[in-house]
Amino acid sequence: EVQLVESGGGLVQPGGSLRLSCAASGFTFSSYSMNWVRQAPGKGLEWVSYISSSSSTIYYADSVKGRFTISRDNAKNSLYLQMNSLRDEDTAVYYCARENFWSGVNLYYFDYWGQGTLVTVSS
Amino acid sequence: QSALTQPASVSGSPGQSITISCTGTSSDVGSYNLVSWYQQHPGKAPKLMIYEVSKRPSGVSNRFSGSKSGNTASLTISGLQAEDEADYYCCSYAGSSTYVVFGGGTKLTVL
């Protein structure tokens, strides 16, 4: 059974840092690209960042570029999101999501999601 | 990175059909058959319902169907059931510089 379990959320002051983790199990983690998607309270989904299976390709939403860093450790079946210079508007539930692929080609949809971890940025 | 446009809410009675639209641009929905739809119940993680415009993952009811015309994608739910009441989000690939973009979400109420 595919499982994605996020952790690391919490309350942080504006300007502070936080590192989120996502532990994957039930599939060959090293074969899949992964993403972070967030959802502000009462709001819609917002894509945050993408990392390819080998970490060779990384993308960020403009809203987090230069402040957030996505990474992964395939030996530990784990995905990370280092968040620096946090702002009030970064307050959200952060989900890690697996991106499906076929014959080595990304399919640009998310077939499994974690339960999310809440990040609250407030003084 | 503008969000795709969805109606804020739709409603229908049990047994009826509803359609949720998702309007993008020629840079996203109009250029790629890479639209997906997600269902989200309150306090839960999103669940994939449709991918590549009209394909259903294993285990998703065939009451859910997707289509696309030009810059607008649509999700149709037939034979509405109480359990379908949820928020629905569309998502489209938008090129390597933007990657993917979500719609603002539509709240479905089953009357």
Side-chain angles (χ1 to χ4, degrees):
Chain A
E1 177 193 6
V2 172
Q3 282 197 322
L4 299 169
V5 180
E6 301 93 337
S7 60
L11 175 63
V12 61
Q13 291 187 338
S17 298
L18 212 55
R19 188 194 195 207
L20 306 183
S21 299
C22 171
S25 60
F27 66 102
T28 305
F29 180 73
S30 59
S31 296
Y32 287 83
S33 299
M34 298 294 295
N35 291 260
W36 288 98
V37 178
R38 69 183 180 183
Q39 185 171 34
K43 302 296 184 181
L45 300 172
E46 179 189 15
W47 172 78
V48 173
S49 184
Y50 160 93
I51 186 168
S52 63
S53 57
S54 64
S55 303
S56 59
T57 302
I58 286 174
Y59 299 118
Y60 297 101
D62 287 346
S63 57
V64 307
K65 202 171 293 182
R67 301 187 298 121
F68 290 11
T69 302
I70 191 172
S71 63
R72 64 191 294 161
D73 185 336
N74 287 342
K76 295 183 178 179
N77 291 340
S78 293
L79 174 72
Y80 306 102
L81 186 67
Q82 177 67 43
M83 303 185 296
N84 298 331
S85 303
L86 283 162
R87 306 167 179 168
D88 290 351
E89 55 264 34
D90 295 320
T91 293
V93 173
Y94 285 74
Y95 296 100
C96 65
R98 190 182 85 166
E99 183 169 334
N100 205 358
F101 71 98
W102 178 256
S103 294
V105 177
N106 284 352
L107 296 179
Y108 307 105
Y109 65 87
F110 312 122
D111 57 354
Y112 287 93
W113 299 64
Q115 86 289 350
T117 187
L118 176 62
V119 173
T120 303
V121 183
S122 175
S123 53
Chain B
Q1 295 169 331
S2 300
L4 306 176
T5 300
Q6 299 180 233
S9 64
V10 298
S11 62
S13 299
Q16 287 186 331
S17 295
I18 64 94
T19 297
I20 299 172
S21 62
C22 170
T23 301
T25 69
S26 57
S27 297
D28 39 63
V29 175
S31 286
Y32 310 98
N33 289 324
L34 295 170
V35 176
S36 52
W37 290 89
Y38 303 87
Q39 176 192 66
Q40 187 181 35
H41 287 108
K44 300 295 186 181
K47 174 187 176 183
L48 177 68
M49 304 302 285
I50 295 287
Y51 65 97
E52 293 178 3
V53 175
S54 61
K55 298 178 181 178
R56 269 189 319 275
S58 172
V60 172
S61 170
N62 59 8
R63 297 185 298 105
F64 291 82
S65 62
S67 62
K68 190 187 88 167
S69 178
N71 295 337
T72 299
S74 299
L75 173 71
T76 297
I77 309 173
S78 58
L80 270 179
Q81 299 179 0
E83 67 212 47
D84 299 332
E85 186 163 292
D87 294 325
Y88 291 84
Y89 295 90
C90 62
C91 180
S92 175
Y93 178 64
S96 58
S97 60
T98 302
Y99 205 64
V100 298
V101 60
F102 282 95
T106 297
K107 181 176 179 60
L108 169 61
T109 301
V110 180
L111 302 171

